[in-house]
C-alpha cells in the first residue's frame, strides 16, 4: 500500500511543500513577457551588434565602426547629446519646481490630483501630433505667429528656428517637464516632516535644512530622473522627424537617412553602427539610473 505524498489542505491552507505545478505557475506567467522581450529587444539588439561588425562579404569588419568617427556621424552625435542634455536639464529643474509647488497642497486636493493626471497625459503626448501642434502655434503662418505679427509687428511668416535644434529643445521640453513630475514626485513625497522638525529643534534654518539634509537626500533621485529624461530625449524620433524635413542634425534622423537611402557616407548598412552607438549610450545612462535608483530606495523604504 502506497502513501499519498500530496500536501493536504487544512482550514483552506495547504500544509507541507508546494507542488511542482504551483511552484512553476509564476514562471509560466512570465513566458509571454520573455517572448515579448526576446522578439522586440533581444533579437533586434543582437541583429544590430552583428550588423555593425559585418562587412559587405558577410565577414567580420570594423569599417562601419571606424565610420562613426566621421564628421557627419560625430556632428549628429554632438547635436543629439546637446539636445538631450538641454531638454533634460530644463525639464528636470522645471519639473522639480512644479513638484515642490504641488506638494504645498494637501495629498487629496483637487490641484494635486489634476496636476498629476495632466502630467500623466502630457508625458505621453509626443510624436507627429505634438509636432503638428507646435507648427500650428509657432510655425509658418501659425496662430501665435499671426497674433504676434498683428500686435508687435513681427515677421508674419514666423521664424525658422522652430525647425532646427532650438525648436527641438522647446518641443522636447513640453513632454520632459510632465515626465519629471511623474518620476520625481514620489521621492519628494518621501521626505519625512520629522526630519525637518528635528533640524529645526537643532537650530537649523530652512536654508540649512535644505542644503545639508534635503538636497543631499534628494540628489540621487533628481540625478536619476534627469538621466531618465536624457534617455527619453536621446531615443525620441517621431517629433524630430516631423519637424526637421531637411538634413539629419541628430543621430535618429541620420539612421532614417541610412534606412531610406541605404548608403550614408559611402557605407552601406551604416545604420547598424549608428544604432549600436545609440544602444551603448542609452545602456550606460540606464545603468547609472539603476544605480541612483538603488541609492534612493535606501531611505524611501
Amino acid at each position: 500500500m502506497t502513501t499519498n505524498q500530496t500536501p493536504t489542505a487544512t482550514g483552506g491552507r495547504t500544509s507541507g511543500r508546494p507542488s511542482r505545478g504551483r511552484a512553476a505557475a509564476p514562471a509560466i506567467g512570465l513566458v509571454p513577457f520573455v517572448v515579448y522581450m526576446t522578439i522586440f529587444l533581444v533579437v533586434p539588439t543582437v541583429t544590430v551588434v552583428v550588423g555593425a561588425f559585418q562587412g559587405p562579404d558577410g565577414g567580420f569588419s570594423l569599417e562601419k565602426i571606424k565610420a562613426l568617427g566621421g564628421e557627419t556621424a560625430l556632428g549628429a552625435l554632438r547635436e543629439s547629446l546637446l539636445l538631450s542634455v538641454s531638454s533634460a536639464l530644463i525639464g528636470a529643474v522645471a519639473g522639480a519646481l512644479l513638484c515642490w509647488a504641488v506638494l504645498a497642497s494637501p495629498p487629496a486636493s483637487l490641484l494635486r490630483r489634476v496636476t498629476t493626471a495632466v502630467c500623466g497625459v502630457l508625458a505621453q503626448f509626443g510624436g507627429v501630433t505634438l509636432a503638428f501642434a507646435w507648427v500650428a502655434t509657432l510655425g509658418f503662418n501659425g496662430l501665435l505667429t499671426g497674433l504676434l505679427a498683428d500686435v508687435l509687428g513681427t515677421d508674419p511668416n514666423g521664424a525658422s528656428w522652430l525647425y532646427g535644434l532650438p525648436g527641438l529643445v522647446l518641443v522636447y521640453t513640453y513632454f520632459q517637464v510632465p515626465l519629471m513630475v511623474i518620476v520625481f514626485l514620489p521621492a519628494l513625497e518621501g521626505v519625512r516632516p520629522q526630519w525637518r522638525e528635528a533640524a529645526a529643534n537643532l537650530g537649523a534654518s530652512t536654508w540649512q535644512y535644505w542644503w545639508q539634509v534635503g538636497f543631499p537626500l534628494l540628489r540621487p533621485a533628481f540625478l536619476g530622473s534627469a538621466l531618465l529624461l536624457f534617455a527619453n530625449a536621446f531615443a525620441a524620433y517621431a517629433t524630430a522627424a516631423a519637424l526637421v524635413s531637411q538634413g539629419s542634425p541628430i543621430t535618429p534622423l541620420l539612421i532614417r537617412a541610412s534606412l531610406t537611402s541605404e548608403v550614408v557616407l559611402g557605407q552601406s548598412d551604416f545604420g547598424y553602427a549608428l544604432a549600436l552607438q545609440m544602444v551603448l549610450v542609452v545602456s550606460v545612462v540606464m545603468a547609472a539610473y539603476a544605480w541612483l535608483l538603488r541609492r534612493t530606495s535606501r531611505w524611501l523604504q
Side-chain angles (χ1 to χ4, degrees):
M1 182 177 180
T2 58
T3 57
N4 188 7
Q5 300 296 329
T6 304
T8 57
T10 304
R13 297 181 179 179
T14 57
S15 60
R17 300 177 60 184
S19 62
R20 293 184 177 179
R22 290 187 177 182
I28 295 175
L30 289 175
V31 170
F33 176 73
V34 173
V35 172
Y36 176 84
M37 294 293 291
T38 302
I39 295 176
F40 294 102
L41 182 61
V42 177
V43 173
T45 302
V46 172
T47 303
V48 165
V49 174
V50 173
F53 293 97
Q54 196 171 45
D57 56 351
F60 178 80
S61 174
L62 293 176
E63 292 300 322
K64 297 172 189 172
I65 302 299
K66 293 179 180 178
L68 290 176
E71 183 179 355
T72 302
L74 286 179
L77 178 61
R78 182 174 57 252
E79 296 293 311
S80 291
L81 293 176
L82 181 60
L83 168 63
S84 304
V85 170
S86 302
S87 63
L89 286 179
I90 296 173
V93 174
L97 292 176
L98 182 57
C99 289
W100 180 74
V102 168
L103 282 182
S105 60
S109 64
L110 180 62
L111 173 63
R112 184 181 295 195
R113 287 183 293 168
V114 170
T115 302
T116 53
V118 170
C119 287
V121 174
L122 295 182
Q124 308 301 323
F125 186 66
V128 179
T129 308
L130 178 62
F132 174 77
W134 279 97
V135 170
T137 303
L138 285 175
F140 298 130
N141 300 319
L143 176 62
L144 187 57
T145 302
L147 290 176
L148 292 176
D150 294 337
V151 177
L152 302 177
T154 58
D155 186 3
N157 295 322
S160 59
W161 61 267
L162 182 63
Y163 306 94
L165 190 63
L168 291 179
V169 173
L170 175 64
V171 176
Y172 278 28
T173 303
Y174 184 84
F175 57 77
Q176 296 280 52
V177 174
L179 180 60
M180 180 67 181
V181 173
I182 294 175
V183 298
F184 187 64
L185 186 59
L188 203 55
E189 287 177 328
V191 178
R192 301 173 185 173
Q194 293 85 350
W195 298 341
R196 186 164 187 170
E197 294 172 0
N201 290 334
L202 294 174
S205 62
T206 301
W207 169 253
Q208 288 175 324
Y209 164 74
W210 280 109
W211 181 253
Q212 299 181 2
V213 180
F215 289 149
L217 283 174
L218 292 172
R219 188 186 303 121
F222 179 82
L223 294 177
S225 301
L227 286 177
L228 189 64
L229 267 60
F230 173 88
N232 185 45
F234 190 75
Y237 163 75
T239 304
L243 279 177
V244 181
S245 59
Q246 295 181 352
S248 304
I250 59 177
T251 302
L253 298 185
L254 193 59
I255 294 176
R256 178 190 65 178
S258 174
L259 294 175
T260 54
S261 65
E262 296 184 355
V263 177
V264 177
L265 302 174
Q267 293 281 339
S268 61
D269 296 331
F270 183 57
Y272 285 112
L274 294 171
L276 178 61
Q277 183 186 62
M278 292 196 67
V279 168
L280 292 177
V281 172
V282 173
S283 298
V284 172
V285 170
M286 296 315 296
Y289 170 73
W291 178 70
L292 291 170
L293 194 63
R294 286 198 299 272
R295 294 197 58 183
T296 304
S297 61
R298 294 177 183 175
W299 60 269
L300 275 179
Q301 295 176 352

